[in-house]
Amino acid sequence: MASAANANLNAVRETMDVLLEISRLLNTGLDMESLSICVRLCEQGINPEALSAVIKELRRASESFKASENCTN
């Protein structure tokens, strides 16, 4: 039983490593933690395109905030 659990855990790790490599090749800017969160959200039924749009919007807002913060300093 323990070996089956270990095999499953190894498969999950390998899958996440492959997804992270694909993410890096596509220059998504997602780290392992962010990618894991996105995968879990998609597994829970979140629309991947909507999730992508939210991530892009958050990045735009963050960049805008940083730019405005730099202008005030």
Side-chain angles (χ1 to χ4, degrees):
M1 191 69 136
S3 64
N6 286 338
N8 188 38
L9 185 57
N10 287 338
V12 169
R13 284 186 183 142
E14 186 176 330
T15 299
M16 287 307 299
D17 287 343
V18 170
L19 287 174
L20 183 61
E21 185 61 28
I22 292 169
S23 174
R24 287 183 179 146
L25 289 171
L26 295 173
N27 295 317
T28 65
L30 296 173
D31 59 11
M32 181 61 91
E33 182 180 8
S34 300
L35 184 61
S36 295
I37 291 168
C38 290
V39 168
R40 278 186 258 139
L41 287 169
C42 290
E43 288 174 341
Q44 294 293 319
I46 299 295
N47 181 321
E49 290 179 21
L51 181 57
S52 172
V54 168
I55 291 169
K56 288 177 185 176
E57 183 58 33
L58 288 171
R59 285 184 177 163
R60 277 190 221 112
S62 175
E63 290 299 318
S64 176
F65 179 75
K66 287 177 187 176
S68 68
E69 198 174 68
N70 286 338
C71 290
T72 60
N73 289 333

